[in-house]
């Protein structure tokens, strides 16, 4: 029997397809979406990134949101993201882009 999707959260590093158009080398953002596992979470992160002409470099600390709130208090931005995704099984919600200006060599 397939596992039911649940809300997941993770920190995603993204880079632009064209750095000149984006104005930064890349960014980190939290993403909240419905997923069954870490692989599906990453696939959804890649889906939203592609719509913004970005691509996913890496995903960190991805886990069901229910597990996250057992360990940490989340800020208002995360609460808002969860609220927007909670009743929409197709939602892929991203937060503030924390940009970095250049790639380290």
């Amino acid at each position: 029997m397939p596992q039911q999707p649940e809300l997941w959260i993770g920190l995603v590093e993204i880079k632009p397809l064209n750095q000149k158009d984006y104005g930064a080398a890349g960014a980190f953002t939290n993403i909240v979406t419905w997923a069954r596992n870490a692989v599906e979470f990453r696939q959804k992160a890649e889906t939203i990134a592609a719509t913004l002409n970005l691509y996913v470099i890496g995903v960190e600390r991805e886990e069901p949101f229910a597990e996250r709130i057992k360990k940490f208090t989340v800020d208002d931005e995360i609460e808002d993201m969860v609220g927007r995704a909670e009743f929409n099984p197709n939602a892929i919600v991203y937060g503030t882009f924390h940009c970095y200006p250049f790639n380290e060599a």
Side-chain angles (χ1 to χ4, degrees), residues 59-78:
V59 178
E60 299 177 11
R61 300 190 305 263
E62 68 271 32
E63 63 187 341
F65 184 71
E67 295 299 316
R68 175 70 57 92
I69 59 174
K70 289 178 186 177
K71 299 180 279 191
F72 302 104
T73 301
V74 297
D75 64 23
D76 290 342
E77 181 180 45
I78 300 293

Side-chain angles (χ1 to χ4, degrees), residues 18-89:
N18 183 337
Q19 187 174 337
K20 289 178 184 172
D21 289 344
Y22 189 66
F28 289 92
T29 187
N30 284 298
I31 290 183
V32 172
T33 192
W34 290 90
R36 291 177 182 84
N37 54 47
V39 171
E40 186 174 7
F41 178 84
R42 184 181 179 110
Q43 289 170 339
K44 291 200 173 179
E46 290 171 346
T47 296
I48 194 67
T51 68
L52 300 168
N53 291 325
L54 303 166
Y55 62 98
V56 173
I57 293 297
V59 178
E60 299 177 11
R61 300 190 305 263
E62 68 271 32
E63 63 187 341
F65 184 71
E67 295 299 316
R68 175 70 57 92
I69 59 174
K70 289 178 186 177
K71 299 180 279 191
F72 302 104
T73 301
V74 297
D75 64 23
D76 290 342
E77 181 180 45
I78 300 293
E79 287 288 343
D80 179 62
M81 292 168 62
V82 169
R84 289 186 285 148
E86 195 169 20
F87 300 106
N88 180 354

